[in-house]
Amino acid sequence: MPDRHDLPAGFRWGVSTAAYQIEGAVDEDGRGPSVWDAFCARPGAVKNGDSGRTACDHYHRWPEDIALMRELGLDTYRFSLAWTRVQPTGRGPANPAGLDFYDRLVDGLLEAGITPLPTLFHWDLPQALEDGGGWLHRDTAHRFAAYAALAADRLGDRVPAWITLNEPFVHLVYGYALGIHAPGRALMLDAMPAAHHQLLGHGLAAAELRARGLDVLIANNLTPVRPATDSPADRAAADAYDTLHNRLFTDPLLLGRYPDLTAYGLGPDPDLGGAVRDGDLTLIHAPGLDGLGVNYYNPTRIAAPTDPGLPFAEAPIEGVPRTHFGWPVVPEGLPELLHTLQARYGTALPPITITENGCSTDAALDDAFRIDYLTAHLDALARATTAGIDVRGYCAWSLLDNFEWAEGYSQRFGLVHVDFATQQRTPRASFAWYRDLIAAHRAGNQA
Ligand code: BGC
């Protein structure tokens, strides 16, 4: 086992999960319904009619899951809090029983020598807030900050760093523009206020966390964008897509301004559907970020549009392996992305943590494909750190096979196989591989 001496000493190893994807127990201890409970109940919304009702039953089996993480020798566990456990309707006082669960989880992690890294919002908005407009409605940003304060008041004495949002881009596009994720709204460009209100929610929550002396991160889904050809039309289309996917949710945080979406026909107007008010960009930018979480899966190839609706069209990436999901495997896209971030933001770029990276495979326990995928991405990551990019840690997606959103249980991302009929956990080959890699890196640094 190579000791990965090409990654820095003190580099932190982790895994990531999300509440709705693993917890189950949707009706227990006062948890309120979220948009995902409602979305899963819609006929045809999720493959095979699956839902997160039981998922990995992590709500009851968390001690077993922490034991697996202890065996891996993790430094960090990135998980998310279900907002509706803390506030069943997204407003008002905390539900103590909901917070008790995360309290026990945090103590269990600390006892196992693992630093908890919670995400406050991984797409499971309280349905009661969605009924009032969800992220299209400005008040949701204020509600989010109030929830962040309640969570931090309870856990902040033991949890030093917090991630506000997971992948606001994916939530905007899948949830509000295309309607293929909860809350299932297909508003296309009229969804833009949901971009601004998520960022405003981040800024307001970040201020609450900072006021309590806590570190703040966000986890953005980022992708290197490659024009399909060198033609001016393909390059312009790639720029448009890059602006929407990568810059919309990172420029305001790091530079204090939005990119000009209207230049690409991505309006509807410079104020994102009239959502941006005076002072908002300061609220978003001023709290600052202690780290940028990067979720990387693959690059995106973009060509000039074929229909007039959008200023770009996605083109397939040819000649590379594909995951079980059909996603292209392009490890060198990761350093490409990190170098772009460095060039784009310079000294405004905070230290990076890879908050998600991984692949789905079939159900087999011998997942050589996953080991190859992760090895190649860590090789590529090490080339970026060796070239001077400040990356502090890496969280594999995911610890367990879990509820993969609109794909239900059909895509398995786990280092650990889960039999969803019995809830039996069985570590895959990649589990032992990751455990040994972490141990070797640690030992190499102590030598
Ligand atoms: C999300 C995860 C998801 C993973 C694989 C990311 O977009 O944050 O929740 O399971 O990708 O699709």
Side-chain angles (χ1 to χ4, degrees):
M1 169 63 61
D3 69 5
R4 289 254 68 122
H5 62 274
D6 49 359
L7 287 166
F11 190 80
R12 297 182 64 79
W13 298 98
V15 296
S16 289
T17 65
Y20 192 71
Q21 295 183 270
I22 64 166
E23 284 181 359
V26 293
D27 295 326
E28 279 182 55
D29 295 332
R31 177 189 177 278
S34 81
V35 292
W36 271 97
D37 298 293
F39 188 71
C40 291
R42 276 195 205 177
V46 175
K47 193 176 257 182
N48 303 320
D50 289 342
S51 80
R53 166 157 283 280
T54 308
C56 305
D57 194 29
H58 171 76
Y59 192 76
H60 300 113
R61 294 169 196 262
W62 60 270
E64 187 182 346
D65 295 337
I66 290 183
L68 287 164
M69 291 188 249
R70 187 199 284 262
E71 205 181 322
L72 281 173
L74 299 184
D75 298 298
T76 304
Y77 174 46
R78 173 179 176 235
F79 60 103
S80 81
L81 268 59
W83 186 342
T84 60
R85 290 199 193 282
V86 179
Q87 288 177 301
T89 61
R91 59 179 77 239
N95 165 36
L99 277 171
D100 287 349
F101 169 67
Y102 297 111
D103 205 273
R104 291 191 294 272
L105 183 70
V106 161
D107 283 346
L109 289 164
L110 292 174
E111 209 179 288
I114 301 168
T115 304
L117 177 59
T119 301
L120 284 161
F121 181 70
H122 201 124
W123 304 347
D124 46 356
L125 192 77
Q127 181 59 37
L129 294 185
E130 178 58 25
D131 293 341
W135 287 112
L136 295 168
H137 188 44
R138 188 178 175 91
D139 185 56
T140 297
H142 292 281
R143 300 282 62 78
F144 181 63
Y147 149 60
L150 292 173
D153 281 342
R154 181 70 182 270
L155 306 173
D157 57 335
R158 285 152 291 154
V159 175
W162 295 67
I163 294 173
T164 53
L165 307 175
N166 178 70
E167 299 189 352
F169 169 79
V170 175
H171 192 53
L172 169 76
V173 173
Y174 283 23
Y176 285 88
L178 301 176
I180 54 183
H181 277 184
R185 315 273 312 256
L187 301 171
M188 295 306 285
L189 291 176
D190 290 340
M192 281 301 180
H196 182 65
H197 295 143
Q198 286 189 82
L199 281 169
L200 184 62
H202 159 87
L204 296 168
E208 295 289 351
L209 295 166
R210 281 238 178 283
R212 289 160 177 79
L214 303 170
D215 280 358
V216 178
L217 295 85
I218 189 168
N220 274 348
N221 181 296
L222 299 173
T223 181
V225 180
R226 300 167 169 183
T229 71
D230 248 357
S231 75
D234 285 355
R235 295 180 75 89
D239 273 355
Y241 188 79
D242 183 37
T243 302
L244 184 67
H245 193 132
N246 295 314
R247 293 181 52 203
L248 175 60
F249 289 99
T250 311
D251 283 16
L253 295 166
L254 300 184
L255 305 177
R257 57 172 184 265
Y258 277 110
D260 183 2
L261 295 172
T262 55
Y264 301 104
L266 289 167
D269 57 55
D271 294 335
L272 299 173
V276 184
R277 295 194 190 160
D278 282 354
D280 282 2
L281 278 154
T282 306
L283 292 172
I284 292 166
H285 175 60
L289 281 177
D290 299 285
L292 178 65
V294 171
N295 293 359
Y296 173 73
Y297 288 93
N298 50 251
T300 309
R301 191 160 166 254
I302 292 291
T306 43
D307 72 65
L310 287 170
F312 47 73
E314 196 166 342
I317 296 177
E318 315 279 5
V320 298
R322 291 190 172 267
T323 72
H324 192 251
F325 218 140
W327 295 356
V329 180
V330 188
E332 59 277 14
L334 179 54
E336 181 183 332
L337 169 68
L338 299 178
H339 284 288
T340 300
L341 291 173
Q342 181 90 308
R344 189 167 281 169
Y345 300 112
T347 54
L349 184 67
I352 288 168
T353 293
I354 306 301
T355 34
E356 285 184 32
N357 175 238
C359 62
S360 65
T361 58
D362 63 19
L365 296 179
D366 180 2
D367 57 347
F369 186 93
R370 177 170 289 104
I371 296 176
D372 289 349
Y373 178 101
L374 296 175
T375 301
H377 283 78
L378 289 169
D379 288 348
L381 181 63
R383 289 198 291 280
T385 57
T386 306
I389 301 204
D390 186 1
V391 183
R392 303 281 171 93
Y394 175 92
C395 293
W397 184 272
S398 183
L399 176 67
L400 305 168
D401 291 341
N402 59 44
F403 175 73
E404 176 53 33
W405 308 116
E407 295 296 313
Y409 296 96
S410 68
Q411 297 299 331
R412 294 176 175 269
F413 279 86
L415 300 171
V416 176
H417 173 275
V418 177
D419 178 334
F420 292 103
T422 62
Q423 292 298 339
Q424 170 80 36
R425 277 96 161 116
T426 311
R428 290 198 169 93
S430 59
F431 179 95
W433 166 85
Y434 198 44
R435 176 196 65 206
D436 293 350
L437 179 148
I438 294 169
H441 179 257
R442 206 167 278 145
N445 284 311
Q446 282 157 2

